[in-house]
Amino acid sequence: MEWHELDLDNCSVAATLRLIGERWTLLILREVFAGLHRFDEIAEHLGVSRRVLTERLRQLVDAGLLERRNYQEAGHRARQEYHLTSPAHDLQWVLAALLQYGDTHLGGPEGPSALLKHAGCGGQVHVELRCSCGQEVSGSEVRPLTGPGAVRLSP
């Protein structure tokens, strides 16, 4: 089956983009990955409207990427923080790849504004494509082929 013959209704790229492809959604995830958990601190740092942030946080919770945790500061009402779930942690490499691409192709001469460091040794983290044979490959060396879940377009 050729690529142009595929029914893309079950495409994993499309499904992931439906989940996280909206601009604010990825930026909210970036903020939570970076350690911001409270609504007000996320809103202030991003400059996003409260309405948009409320809706995106609800979508991320409903999708199972964020979980709400209650907290209460002395003299204030109970509120909620947002924390990553295990499936959200699996998206870290997506954000790392976007960061790496931006640093390589869009960044200024002063260097990157953020670095990803390995908590274990302090080394810099990077994203790479690696074949099951163990060899690192460039994007130009990768060819998409139909997989076992491929469905042919209906005539």
Side-chain angles (χ1 to χ4, degrees), residues 15 18 21 27-28 35 37 43 62 72 82 92 104 115 131 151:
R18 282 191 296 275
L27 293 175
I28 292 164
H37 300 286
D62 290 349
Q72 186 170 9
Y82 297 89
Q92 177 69 23
T104 301
L115 300 173
C131 178
V151 177

Side-chain angles (χ1 to χ4, degrees), residues 115-126:
L115 300 173
L116 300 178
K117 295 291 186 173
H118 177 213
C121 73
Q124 188 162 343
V125 173
H126 70 277

Side-chain angles (χ1 to χ4, degrees), residues 49-91:
S49 77
R50 296 180 74 77
R51 182 187 60 75
V52 169
L53 182 56
T54 297
E55 177 61 22
R56 295 305 180 271
L57 286 170
R58 184 193 58 75
Q59 290 171 348
L60 288 165
V61 168
D62 290 349
L65 295 175
L66 292 179
E67 65 181 15
R68 291 183 183 103
R69 295 184 191 164
N70 292 325
Y71 75 95
Q72 186 170 9
E73 293 177 348
H76 291 62
R77 66 179 172 85
R79 303 183 91 170
Q80 294 181 324
E81 293 182 324
Y82 297 89
H83 292 266
L84 302 168
T85 62
S86 181
H89 281 285
D90 289 344
L91 288 169

Side-chain angles (χ1 to χ4, degrees), residues 107-136:
E110 60 282 353
S113 61
L115 300 173
L116 300 178
K117 295 291 186 173
H118 177 213
C121 73
Q124 188 162 343
V125 173
H126 70 277
V127 177
E128 60 186 32
L129 292 171
R130 189 166 293 281
C131 178
S132 60
C133 75
Q135 183 177 350
E136 186 175 350

Side-chain angles (χ1 to χ4, degrees), residues 14 16 23 42 44 51 72 88-89 92 95 105 119 124 146:
T16 304
R23 175 181 184 253
I42 295 170
E44 182 179 335
R51 182 187 60 75
Q72 186 170 9
H89 281 285
Q92 177 69 23
L95 290 171
H105 299 288
Q124 188 162 343
T146 57

